[in-house]
Each structure stands twice: as C-alpha cells, then as structure tokens.
Amino acid sequence: MQSYTIGQAARLLGVSPDTLRRWADGGRLTTHRDESGRRLIDGRDLAAFSIEVGQSPNGEEEASYTSARNAFPGIVTAVKLGDVAAQVEIQAGPHRLVSLLTREAVEELGLEVGMQATARVKSTSVHVDRT
C-alpha cells in the first residue's frame, strides 16, 4: 500500500503541512515513521480522512488557487468495478469527484483506494452561480 509524506498528504487535502501535523498530533490522523524518521500516512487512512475533511462545512485553511482550473489532484477513495464499466471517486481537497469509465481503463491505470490521482474535467457547459 502506498504511503504519503506529510507534505504530499497536505497538498492532496488542500491544507498546509503545519495544519496536517497539528491534526496528526491531535490524534485526528494516524502516522508512522519510516526508517529515515519521516512521518508517513497510510494511503487507505488518508483516503478515509480526506472524505471526513471534504464533508466538513468549512476548511481550516483557504483553498489554493491555480490557473489549471480543470485539474483536480487528489486521492482515490472508492473504486467500484462492473463487468464493463467502473466508477472511481476522488477526493480533491473539499471536492468529491466521481468518474464513470471503462473497467479496462481502471485496470490499465492500476487505480485502487489510497492512490494519488488527478481528475481532469472538460465540459461544454459550465454554470456559474453567484454566492
């Protein structure tokens, strides 16, 4: 299973490494140390925690901004395989993205819960609401 450093996990969750360290020190997230002494987070634990963070109404930190508005780096939180089709869920910071694709594509990419992935979105119609 893939593990993530504090910095990698923080980027995937859309928070600062300091925030993630505080969460880990406060017992919200389990970490372990590698042979070099770096703190690591198991991919499955990070996937479950990212769902919790994404469902909270207000994040503790402001979201980052990028000009690549259609790319959502995150962590795979669910993979449901059918005979021909598959459904993959990615938690990208506070955003949950669900993609329907072929089973073959999921298998070729080797997607599984806890892996880092980027959802790319293209749309011919985008609606904008003023909040």
Side-chain angles (χ1 to χ4, degrees), residues 63-82:
S64 62
Y65 295 96
T66 177
S67 62
R69 300 197 191 289
N70 63 338
F72 296 87
I75 186 166
V76 176
T77 57
V79 176
K80 298 174 186 168
L81 295 174

Side-chain angles (χ1 to χ4, degrees), residues 53-69:
V53 170
Q55 291 174 344
S56 55
N58 293 317
E60 291 185 18
E61 303 241 341
E62 192 173 314
S64 62
Y65 295 96
T66 177
S67 62
R69 300 197 191 289

Side-chain angles (χ1 to χ4, degrees), residues 98-115:
V98 180
S99 179
L100 300 175
L101 55 162
T102 64
R103 179 186 180 118
E104 180 182 12
V106 170
E107 290 172 346
E108 283 179 10
L109 292 170
L111 295 177
E112 61 183 41
V113 172
M115 292 184 71

Side-chain angles (χ1 to χ4, degrees), residues 114-126:
M115 292 184 71
Q116 184 175 345
T118 300
R120 298 199 184 272
V121 179
K122 182 178 178 180
S123 177
T124 56
S125 176
V126 177

